[in-house]
Amino acid sequence: MKPFLINPMAQNATTAEFGARIAARLDESAQELPDHVAQRLCRARMQALSHGRQLRRQVAPVLATSGGLRWIKQDHFGFWGRASSVLPLIALLIGLMSIGILQEQQRAHEIAEVDTELLTSDLPPVAYTDPGFAQYLKAGGQD
Amino acid sequence: MATEKELDAFLKGVEKRAFKRSYYHVRNEESALDIVQDSMMKLAEHYGHKPVDELPMLFQRILTNSTLDWFRRQKTKNALFSHLSDFETQDEGGDFDILESLLLSTNPEQNESAQDHAQRAQTLRAIESEIQDLPARQREAFLMRYWEELDVAETASAMGCSQGSVKTHCSRAVAALAKALRIRGICL
């Protein structure tokens, strides 16, 4: 290896070259680790791989049993099967709409009853706008 | 998605450098091994499904975070149980010195004389010592950039800082190393 002139004010290329030369020396030292360290690193690697393998095994059955991917990727029931799975949703929508219509009709019926009472009463409806009559009603109709 | 074989090959390729990097930081063999093992487990557990080309940066980030976690734990432990200052570690490994082990290596190049081997080991020891003496951020940036060969953007992402900071750290690290090695009379 040719001598390398070290200059603190080196350009980027020189800096990179210096870095690379240091890295090459560090590589040398990394390859000469004591046996027990190399063995421990190997064991750590095996343990990590085994751990990853176990995790993948645990995840795979969960996906299979929950059917998460199966429902997306496979079609077991055809068109009618899929249509029947939508039926409960349609029934729910129809039910909600029916309840809404019935409540609306009931409210209209109640208003009509009040109107009928007012119109068929001996008392003219204008009387209810009179403050004195309103006071009389609040007092319970006793004067 | 990386296969188990690819993940194995990747880890095999980086494990020694990862150990040395951790060792430069924590200066304790057992702790460095624990950090590397922890990082490997996390990579396999959380990122085993990632493509192979994403693994290097992910692993560097995990290793950096695991090292920081170790320092945090040490800091808490020291605060609770001893009077050691922050980031100072006790040598739990007894009298083993990994730098000395370089001199005792049993695999010198076949055509290398004993004198050459001793000189080479001395140079390596000097370089490693100077790298250990760098400020932590400079050392981290330098090692990721030049040893792990991450680009500036990847290094910045792994270190959680700006690209400008990475360039500054690297530049200062190179200048400091160059000066220190020149004083020792080492020419690369």
Side-chain angles (χ1 to χ4, degrees), chain B residues 64-81:
Chain B
T64 299
N65 289 336
S66 298
T67 308
L68 284 174
D69 287 344
W70 183 88
F71 275 115
R72 287 190 194 109
R73 283 198 300 274
Q74 285 298 111
K75 191 176 175 182
T76 311
K77 192 173 148 189
N78 291 343
L80 286 171
F81 301 114

Side-chain angles (χ1 to χ4, degrees), chain A residues 4 6 28 40 45 47 53, chain B residues 4 34 37 120 178 188:
Chain A
F4 185 80
I6 297 164
E28 280 180 44
R40 170 84 192 273
R45 174 162 39 88
Q47 212 171 333
R53 203 181 304 132
Chain B
E4 189 174 317
D34 287 344
Q37 180 168 4
R120 191 171 65 87
L188 295 178

Side-chain angles (χ1 to χ4, degrees), chain A residues 8 16-17 27 32-33 36 41 45 56-57 61 66 82 97 101 104-105 107 110-111 123 141:
Chain A
E17 193 185 347
D27 270 336
E32 296 176 359
L33 289 178
H36 70 277
L41 287 172
R45 174 162 39 88
R56 276 195 296 277
R57 278 184 194 153
S66 68
R82 274 180 279 135
M97 285 169 70
I101 291 168
E104 189 67 27
Q105 283 179 350
R107 203 176 301 121
E110 283 170 3
I111 291 169
L123 197 66

Side-chain angles (χ1 to χ4, degrees), chain A residues 1-10 12 14-38 40-53 55-56, chain B residues 1 4 7-8 11-12 15-17 19-20 24 29-30 33-34 36-37 40-41 44-45 48 96 98 101-102 105 107 117 120 123-124 127-128 131 142-143 146-147 170-171 174-175 177-179 181-182 186-188:
Chain A
M1 192 180 284
K2 64 178 181 180
F4 185 80
L5 294 175
I6 297 164
N7 178 2
M9 302 296 286
N12 284 344
T14 316
T15 304
E17 193 185 347
F18 178 78
R21 288 189 180 198
I22 293 273
R25 295 302 178 100
L26 293 177
D27 270 336
E28 280 180 44
S29 72
Q31 294 311 313
E32 296 176 359
L33 289 178
D35 286 344
H36 70 277
V37 172
R40 170 84 192 273
L41 287 172
C42 183
R43 277 202 305 275
R45 174 162 39 88
M46 293 303 167
Q47 212 171 333
L49 291 170
S50 162
H51 182 59
R53 203 181 304 132
L55 281 177
R56 276 195 296 277
Chain B
M1 180 180 166
E4 189 174 317
L7 190 60
D8 182 36
L11 290 175
K12 199 172 184 178
E15 64 189 14
K16 288 179 177 169
R17 289 202 306 272
F19 166 73
K20 295 292 278 189
Y24 294 147
E29 188 188 63
E30 272 305 309
L33 283 167
D34 287 344
V36 175
Q37 180 168 4
M40 285 178 171
M41 295 287 268
E45 183 177 340
F96 173 74
I98 194 160
S101 72
L102 291 170
S105 170
N107 290 317
H117 180 242
R120 191 171 65 87
T123 303
L124 288 179
I127 290 171
E128 293 195 313
I131 282 177
F142 179 83
L143 292 176
Y146 297 111
W147 203 18
C170 285
S171 167
V174 165
L177 283 173
K179 188 178 172 187
L181 294 178
R182 189 174 50 199
I186 294 172
C187 254
L188 295 178

